[in-house]
Amino acid sequence: MTHILRIDSSLKGEASVSRRLTGRIVAKLSEASPGATVTERDLSRGVPQIDAGWIGAVYTAPEARNADQASIADYSDRLLSEVKAADILVIGLPVYNFGLPATLKSWIDHLARKGETFRYTAEGPEGLLKGKRAIVALSSDGTKMGSGIDFASGYLKHMLGFFGISDVEFVAADQLVFDSEGTIRAAEDRIESLAA
């Protein structure tokens, strides 16, 4: 049975274009796989930034953690478990100031754990989350995806690949300020053409 993890990070709530697109992508995938299950994670509610306390927590053996470390590690472990359990990640990527929302970057930081999502080998780093698919719904007001001022899509694709997720597709509703209706319609048409 297919398990889908939907990640949203836009601060705009129901007015968010990236949320609209992730919703449509999940609906399309669920229609193609009627038994699919969906886990939703809304990062706009806040994701703690990693810090020295986080490092101390996640790299301390569970039985040796104090209460604060156990709480920190539990939150981070839940984010990691959601990704590990997913067959398909549907990620909303609103472009803020040419890059990722801070909460989406923090989510990635929680996932970047040696021995969990990657390891170092004599040949270089190896991602440990192989066999998963990611579909990214990118929205932006003025930034064109793949342009010299897009510091969001390339970074996210790199990090997913670093974790072993090489099957990454983008659905872009970029440069919305120039033709919002046409851009969204083209993105929705792209969703309809996605292979299930």
Side-chain angles (χ1 to χ4, degrees):
M1 180 164 46
T2 302
H3 185 69
I4 302 164
L5 174 60
R6 175 181 174 180
I7 300 291
D8 286 303
S9 56
S10 173
L11 301 172
K12 295 181 179 178
E14 295 304 312
S16 163
V17 171
S18 64
R19 285 179 192 272
R20 176 174 167 179
L21 297 177
T22 57
R24 287 187 75 120
I25 293 167
V26 168
K28 166 84 174 170
L29 295 171
S30 298
E31 181 183 301
S33 301
T37 56
V38 180
T39 297
E40 297 185 357
R41 173 68 66 173
D42 186 351
L43 305 180
S44 71
R45 297 178 185 151
V47 178
Q49 292 186 355
I50 65 169
D51 57 15
W54 177 86
I55 292 171
V58 300
Y59 292 109
T60 296
E63 65 276 5
R65 291 171 183 154
N66 63 35
D68 286 342
Q69 288 175 326
S71 176
I72 291 167
D74 179 65
Y75 176 83
S76 195
D77 287 346
R78 275 185 280 135
L79 297 182
L80 188 58
S81 294
E82 289 172 354
V83 173
K84 286 184 173 183
D87 301 297
I88 305 173
L89 285 71
V90 177
I91 303 172
L93 174 56
V95 177
Y96 290 171
N97 302 316
F98 313 106
L100 279 69
T103 54
L104 185 56
K105 173 63 167 65
S106 289
W107 177 75
I108 291 168
D109 288 341
H110 278 275
L111 300 179
R113 289 167 59 178
K114 187 170 59 173
E116 296 285 354
T117 54
F118 71 96
R119 67 178 179 172
Y120 291 113
T121 72
E123 291 76 38
E126 176 189 4
L128 301 177
L129 301 181
K130 297 181 175 99
K132 299 181 186 298
R133 176 186 184 193
I135 304 171
V136 180
L138 179 145
S139 64
S140 72
D141 282 339
T143 303
K144 181 168 181 56
M145 190 179 105
S147 70
I149 58 171
D150 168 19
F151 302 105
S153 64
Y155 173 79
L156 182 56
K157 184 174 183 178
H158 170 79
M159 288 307 301
L160 291 170
F162 183 73
F163 298 154
I165 305 171
S166 57
D167 183 359
V168 181
E169 301 169 79
F170 282 84
V171 172
D174 54 0
Q175 296 189 301
L176 287 162
V177 293
F178 301 112
D179 179 11
S180 177
E181 191 175 306
T183 301
I184 293 171
R185 187 168 54 247
E188 291 174 341
D189 289 346
R190 169 86 175 96
I191 291 168
E192 289 308 307
S193 71
L194 285 173

